[in-house]
């Protein structure tokens, strides 16, 4: 008996139609249960209390619930719930829409200080993202970083690539999509038209068409009958004239639908006044039935189709990124070649600019002289597209492409920079190629597990295969090495609980480099109130994302402050806490006041600072096994969720190299695969994560 555990695209189409009637309800509070269930408590003028549930784990659902079916509020609200409360408490529910024919629902909330979007992804692993009106992500349950799509605080929320929408297709589009298939009718409806297996069978039954009939044997009359039933379903979903049912088998709920099903005709069922009510009753009974039978039932069949869909989507996105990297690298290389092909023209422009600058001519004067030259039809002046005095660059139209050159250097160095950029992009392409191979392997593993479930001993085989999903890494005799070194690993670094990168200098040279090269608008600068403390930067965006102002969660800020104080002389002096201040990038300067001197690696901070007083020191050293195998170090709250095992440190009497050896021995007692440990977490590698000065293990 396959019970419904997630909503289909058709379910969401019906549901969003019904949820429109709740527009105007005012939000009281937001709650988060078990990192996957979001509860929004609202008040409606006509209905009174309204409880909207969004669950993106197992099961995946969204609907209004009877207050009697809502669990008591959890204890202390996590950061995500607090952030959501701050954004939508007191706001008006202003509407809901389904993204095309995908299992994505966007809820809009309006408040005088700004609109908020809550995007629920009810496919794959599931996710909830909270965005502002410009679709900038303020927070999300899961941080996802792909080469073509990022779901992370500070990034712009982008919907997945569009799929064919059978409810929006014309008859000609419907016919053409059917004709392009090379399989049978029911599989064509399920995959090519994105209706899914169950609804594909349902529509065949309604149209009176043999499900397994080959497309080659189907005629236009059968296509017409299929389009007719799809069109009828479309009209029903858009009009809201539903007849919701919950279906049962042997007294247990197995499905909830907005309309009666021909496939379940004659089956035990219960009718409801609205689809919301049907879903609420169904999932409440499903939860109750699951609690009663969990210990006795055979394992439920995993959602292989959902996993396959997720990985196929990722492969498609990664393939697009690879093609984009390749095109960009070729373009940069071609720009360099054009500089040499039009050497005389480019050299004439560079020489003219450099000569004018040596005579102290302004950039405006230089631009005016080029414009005058263009009027006299001078080829070099005609090629000028833009003059940018801020960056000392000139953009040239070289026929095939426009190329921006640095006027402070010669042609050869400009070309060399373009070749280096092409090489950098190609390295990103190589990384994407490795990533797509990993994704394809994961996709193939899911397909193999699905095939295993088709055999008589399916559940037993599945239990063995589940090792890949919930792996006891410590007990494995062989752990594969997965290593992709990142640019920031030569600094001290960690990722916060919210997925933000924090980097810190190991010495004065790195302190200088971090501020001059890597600190951008939107980042946050942290420094302990202690001599010789490292520069610490909380990065607002990733290296491939444009700098922007981001609402960085308080927990990430506190973790960055703890990182800054733990790797400072506060630890070396044996103290257990210290003060840390935070500043914006534009407050940080190397220019001292008159008569003052700034040491290398030090900076002047101007303006008001934010202080984190009595910040407790604390470092955890842990080992990760996926997606990368490496030793990591940072605040305990950030390392906890990323490492398969960790050890906490505090100031103590063991020198840095001695404590590293002690940690290595303790990790050695925990891992079965000693060769893996030596490769990814040798004492030298562990020592890089330990603070300078004495430490001891927290028992």
């Amino acid at each position: 008996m396959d019970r419904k555990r997630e909503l289909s695209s058709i379910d969401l189409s019906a549901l969003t139609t019904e949820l429109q009637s709740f527009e105007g309800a005012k939000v009281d509070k937001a709650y988060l249960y078990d990192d996957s269930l979001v509860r929004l408590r609202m008040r409606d003028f006509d209905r009174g209390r309204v409880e909207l549930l969004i669950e993106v784990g197992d099961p995946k659902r969204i609907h209004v619930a009877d207050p009697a079916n809502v669990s008591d509020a959890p204890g202390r609200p996590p950061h995500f719930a607090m952030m959501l409360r701050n954004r939508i408490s007191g706001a008006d529910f202003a509407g809901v829409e389904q993204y095309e024919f995908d299992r994505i629902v966007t809820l809009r909330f309006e408040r005088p200080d700004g609109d908020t979007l809550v995007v629920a992804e009810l496919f794959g692993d599931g996710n909830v993202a909270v965005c502002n009106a410009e679709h900038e992500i303020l927070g999300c349950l899961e941080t996802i970083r792909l080469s073509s799509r990022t779901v992370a605080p500070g990034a712009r929320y982008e919907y997945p690539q569009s799929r064919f929408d059978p409810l929006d297709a014309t008859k000609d589009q419907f016919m053409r999509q059917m004709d392009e298939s090379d399989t049978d009718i029911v599989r064509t409806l399920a995959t090519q038209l994105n209706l899914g297996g169950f609804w594909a069978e349902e529509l065949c039954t309604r149209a009176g068409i043999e499900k397994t009939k080959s497309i080659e044997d189907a005629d236009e009359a059968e296509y017409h009958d299929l389009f007719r039933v799809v069109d009828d379903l479309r009209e029903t979903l858009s009009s809201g004239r539903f007849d919701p049912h919950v279906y049962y088998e042997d007294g247990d709920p197995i499905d909830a639908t907005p309309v009666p099903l021909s496939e379940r005709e004659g089956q035990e069922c219960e009718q409801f006044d609205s689809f919301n009510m049907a879903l609420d009753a169904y999932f409440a009974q499903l939860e109750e039935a699951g609690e009663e039978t969990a210990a006795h039932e055979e394992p439920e069949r995993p959602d292989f189709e959902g996993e396959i869909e997720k990985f196929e989507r990722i492969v498609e996105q990664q393939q697009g990124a690879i093609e984009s990297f390749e095109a960009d690298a070729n373009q940069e290389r071609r720009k360099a070649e054009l500089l040499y092909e039009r050497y005389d023209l480019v050299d004439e422009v560079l020489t003219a600019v450099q000569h004018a600058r040596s005579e102290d001519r302004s950039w405006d004067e230089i631009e005016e002289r080029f414009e005058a030259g263009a009027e006299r039809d001078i080829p070099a002046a005609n090629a000028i597209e833009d003059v940018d005095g801020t960056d000392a660059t000139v953009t040239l139209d070289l026929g095939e492409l426009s190329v921006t050159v640095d006027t402070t250097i010669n042609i050869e160095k400009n070309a060399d920079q373009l070749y280096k950029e092409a090489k950098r992009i190609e390295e990103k392409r190589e990384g994407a190629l490795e990533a797509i191979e990993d994704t394809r392997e994961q996709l193939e593993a899911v397909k193999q597990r699905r095939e295993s479930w088709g055999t008589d001993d399916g559940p037993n085989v599945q239990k063995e295969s589940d090792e890949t999903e919930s792996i006891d890494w410590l007990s494995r005799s062989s752990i594969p090495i997965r290593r992709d070194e990142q640019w920031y690993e030569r600094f001290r670094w960690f990722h916060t609980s919210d997925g933000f990168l924090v980097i810190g200098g190991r010495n004065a040279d790195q302190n200088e480099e971090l501020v001059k090269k890597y600190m951008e608008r939107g980042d946050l600068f942290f420094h302990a109130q202690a001599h010789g403390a490292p520069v610490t930067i909380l990065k607002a965006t990733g290296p491939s994302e444009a700098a922007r102002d981001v609402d960085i969660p308080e927990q990430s800020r506190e973790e960055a402050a703890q990182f800054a104080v733990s790797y400072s002389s506060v630890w070396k002096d044996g103290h257990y806490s210290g003060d840390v201040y935070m500043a914006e990038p534009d407050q940080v300067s190397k220019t001292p006041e008159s008569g003052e001197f700034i040491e290398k690696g030090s900076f002047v901070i101007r303006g008001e600072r934010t202080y984190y007083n009595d910040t407790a020191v604390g470092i955890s050293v842990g080992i990760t096994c996926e997606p990368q195998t490496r030793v990591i170090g940072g605040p305990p709250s950030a390392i906890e969720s990323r490492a398969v095992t960790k050890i906490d440190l505090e100031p103590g009497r063991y020198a840095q190299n001695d404590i590293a050896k002690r940690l290595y021995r303790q990790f050695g007692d925990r891992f079965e695969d000693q060769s893996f440990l030596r490769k990814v977490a040798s004492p030298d590698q562990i020592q890089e994560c330990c603070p300078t000065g004495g430490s001891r293990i927290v028992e």
Side-chain angles (χ1 to χ4, degrees):
M1 175 177 62
D2 291 333
R3 295 171 173 167
K4 183 193 204 95
R5 302 200 69 81
E6 58 185 40
L7 303 185
S8 68
S9 295
I10 288 174
D11 292 333
L12 289 177
S13 179
L15 186 68
T16 51
T17 298
E18 282 195 356
L19 287 178
Q20 301 290 352
S21 66
F22 290 90
E23 287 186 23
K26 194 169 290 290
V27 180
D28 283 336
K29 264 192 178 181
Y31 304 91
L32 178 64
Y33 299 73
D34 299 328
D35 295 328
S36 64
L37 173 61
V38 175
R39 168 192 166 197
L40 303 181
R41 193 181 74 195
M42 302 188 290
R43 288 175 287 112
D44 182 80
F45 181 78
D46 296 320
R47 300 177 179 88
R49 179 179 164 189
V50 176
E51 296 282 4
L52 180 63
L53 303 182
I54 307 170
E55 189 165 12
V56 295
D58 181 18
K60 293 180 175 64
R61 54 172 173 152
I62 175 172
H63 60 83
V64 171
D66 186 321
N69 293 332
V70 176
S71 302
D72 293 338
R76 181 182 178 185
H79 169 74
F80 181 87
M82 291 302 298
M83 178 273 300
L84 191 53
R85 289 182 187 181
N86 291 336
R87 290 292 306 186
I88 66 174
S89 289
D92 293 328
F93 176 45
V96 56
E97 62 180 20
Q98 177 185 13
Y99 174 66
E100 297 182 351
F101 195 61
D102 218 325
R103 286 176 287 168
I104 301 177
V105 172
T106 302
L107 307 163
R108 179 178 290 275
F109 298 89
E110 294 180 350
R111 208 167 63 176
D113 59 347
D115 294 355
T116 299
L117 307 177
V118 177
V119 185
E121 298 182 350
L122 300 168
F123 62 86
D125 292 336
N127 204 358
V128 175
V130 181
C131 313
N132 62 18
E134 287 72 40
H135 283 80
E136 288 183 337
I137 300 174
L138 308 172
C140 51
L141 290 182
E142 296 292 335
T143 297
I144 301 169
R145 295 186 186 274
L146 303 175
S147 55
S148 57
R149 181 173 183 254
T150 297
V151 181
R156 179 178 174 80
Y157 182 84
E158 295 180 356
Y159 292 97
Q161 187 173 354
S162 298
R163 304 188 303 160
F164 182 81
D165 185 350
L167 299 183
D168 191 45
T170 65
K171 187 173 183 179
D172 287 343
Q173 291 170 333
F174 180 89
M175 300 286 194
R176 187 161 53 250
Q177 197 77 2
M178 295 290 290
D179 275 333
E180 290 176 358
S181 176
D182 59 358
T183 183
D184 56 32
I185 289 178
V186 71
R187 292 183 184 178
T188 300
L189 291 172
T191 59
Q192 303 299 313
L193 276 78
N194 298 317
L195 285 161
F198 182 83
W199 274 100
E201 294 186 9
E202 171 67 17
L203 293 174
C204 285
T205 300
R206 292 187 181 192
I209 294 175
E210 182 184 346
K211 303 173 187 177
T212 57
K213 183 178 240 184
S214 171
I215 286 292
E216 294 179 355
D217 298 330
D219 56 32
E220 189 171 332
E222 289 169 314
Y223 285 178
H224 176 80
D225 289 340
L226 282 171
F227 182 76
R228 173 181 51 80
V229 295
V230 171
D231 201 39
D232 289 344
L233 179 61
R234 169 172 34 203
E235 196 280 329
T236 299
L237 293 174
S238 61
S239 68
R241 293 193 293 271
F242 307 139
D243 183 9
H245 282 57
V246 171
Y247 289 93
Y248 298 86
E249 188 172 303
D250 298 328
D252 292 326
I254 59 169
D255 202 356
T257 63
V259 293
L261 299 176
S262 299
E263 282 287 292
R264 300 197 187 279
E265 188 172 357
Q267 195 166 336
E268 179 188 357
C269 63
E270 182 180 0
Q271 291 180 269
F272 288 83
D273 293 335
S274 72
F275 189 35
N276 265 289
M277 294 174 63
L279 288 173
D280 182 38
Y282 172 76
F283 283 109
Q285 294 177 70
L286 182 67
E287 182 177 359
E288 183 179 346
E291 291 175 353
E292 292 176 353
T293 61
H296 308 289
E297 285 186 345
E298 289 294 322
E300 289 284 344
R301 181 181 186 275
D303 178 21
F304 296 120
E305 286 70 26
E307 286 190 76
I308 290 172
E309 177 186 348
K310 178 190 72 172
F311 286 122
E312 286 178 341
R313 192 194 304 271
I314 293 173
V315 166
E316 187 176 353
Q317 293 170 338
Q318 290 173 328
Q319 186 61 51
I322 290 168
E323 293 170 0
S324 176
F325 289 146
E326 187 172 4
D328 290 346
N330 289 336
Q331 186 178 73
E332 294 302 304
R333 194 177 294 105
R334 182 57 186 150
K335 287 179 181 179
E337 293 169 353
L338 284 171
L339 291 182
Y340 287 113
E341 290 177 12
R342 304 293 301 276
Y343 193 99
D344 290 342
L345 183 146
V346 177
D347 185 58
E348 185 178 347
V349 171
L350 291 177
T351 301
V353 173
Q354 291 165 0
H355 179 71
R357 292 297 293 163
S358 69
E359 295 181 342
D360 292 329
R361 295 186 182 276
S362 70
W363 284 98
D364 289 339
E365 289 180 278
I366 293 172
E367 187 170 14
E368 288 172 1
R369 294 186 67 178
F370 278 131
E371 290 173 352
E375 291 175 0
R376 299 198 302 273
D377 206 26
I378 297 174
N382 280 331
I384 301 294
E385 286 188 347
D386 182 59
V387 176
D388 187 348
T390 304
D391 295 328
T393 60
V394 173
T395 302
L396 301 172
D397 179 2
L398 299 184
E400 184 179 333
L401 290 170
S402 294
V403 182
T404 299
V405 294
D406 183 345
T407 61
T408 65
I409 57 179
N410 60 27
I411 294 176
E412 289 76 14
K413 289 183 179 179
N414 270 289
D416 185 56
Q417 287 183 353
L418 291 168
Y419 281 126
K420 286 180 178 178
E421 177 63 13
K423 183 178 180 181
R424 186 188 70 82
I425 295 172
E426 285 178 338
E427 289 173 352
K428 292 179 69 174
R429 176 180 176 274
E430 292 302 315
L433 284 170
E434 293 179 8
I436 200 173
E437 288 307 312
D438 289 342
T439 306
R440 284 172 174 157
E441 289 179 8
Q442 292 175 290
L443 173 61
E444 187 59 33
V446 176
K447 289 180 177 179
Q448 290 177 2
R449 295 205 309 273
R450 181 178 64 176
E451 292 177 5
S452 299
W453 265 80
T455 63
D456 291 338
D457 59 350
N460 293 326
V461 175
Q462 176 63 20
K463 287 177 183 176
E464 295 173 4
S465 301
D466 274 346
E467 289 180 358
T468 61
E469 295 184 1
S470 181
I471 300 174
D472 181 3
W473 293 105
L474 301 181
S475 300
R476 286 195 60 164
S477 59
S478 177
I479 302 175
I481 305 297
R482 304 183 184 90
R483 197 71 175 87
D484 181 16
E485 191 159 349
Q486 301 295 324
W487 63 269
Y488 48 77
E489 290 186 35
R490 60 193 184 89
F491 304 106
R492 294 196 187 278
W493 65 275
F494 78 100
H495 284 97
T496 73
S497 301
D498 303 297
F500 289 87
L501 174 65
V502 176
I503 45 181
R506 293 182 180 274
N507 50 48
D509 288 332
Q510 287 196 349
N511 284 349
E512 296 270 351
E513 184 180 2
L514 285 175
V515 171
K516 292 180 179 179
K517 187 174 180 180
Y518 293 105
M519 188 167 67
E520 301 175 295
R521 177 174 64 84
D523 296 345
L524 294 175
F525 176 97
F526 289 81
H527 200 277
Q529 288 279 68
H531 180 72
V535 162
T536 299
I537 297 175
L538 198 169
K539 296 291 296 176
T541 54
S544 62
E545 300 169 345
R548 61 168 70 88
D549 294 326
V550 175
D551 183 14
I552 298 177
E554 184 61 27
Q555 182 172 353
S556 289
R557 299 178 186 220
E558 292 174 355
E559 289 172 346
Q562 186 174 33
F563 181 83
V565 74
S566 296
Y567 287 109
S568 75
S569 58
V570 171
W571 186 291
K572 187 176 182 180
D573 293 340
H575 300 310
Y576 284 81
S577 66
D579 297 339
V580 180
Y581 64 82
M582 179 184 76
E584 305 286 342
D586 58 8
Q587 296 179 251
V588 184
S589 172
K590 280 294 291 184
T591 306
E593 298 294 340
S594 178
E596 292 184 353
F597 170 74
I598 299 296
E599 294 181 355
K600 187 175 185 179
S602 299
F603 301 89
V604 176
I605 310 298
R606 294 185 170 89
E608 187 175 346
R609 314 175 189 185
T610 300
Y611 281 89
Y612 291 83
N613 295 321
D614 293 324
T615 298
V617 300
I619 289 296
S620 286
V621 178
I623 298 175
T624 65
C625 293
E626 57 180 358
Q628 302 285 323
T629 46
R630 55 159 61 103
V631 58
I632 59 175
S637 59
I639 301 303
E640 176 75 33
S641 61
R642 300 179 185 277
V644 296
T645 184
K646 72 178 181 71
I647 299 173
D648 297 335
L649 298 179
E650 62 183 19
R653 63 189 181 90
Y654 295 105
Q656 197 179 36
N657 61 331
D658 291 333
I659 196 66
K661 293 174 183 177
R662 287 174 174 269
L663 293 180
Y664 179 75
R665 288 195 292 271
Q666 282 211 14
F667 284 133
D669 293 338
R670 300 179 185 184
F671 278 93
E672 182 71 22
D673 186 355
Q674 295 295 301
S675 64
F676 159 80
L677 188 63
R678 286 193 297 272
K679 292 174 184 176
V680 304
S682 67
D684 288 343
Q685 291 166 310
I686 292 173
Q687 183 174 334
E688 292 187 359
C689 298
C690 299
T692 303
S695 302
R696 73 181 187 90
I697 295 171
V698 178
E699 300 297 340

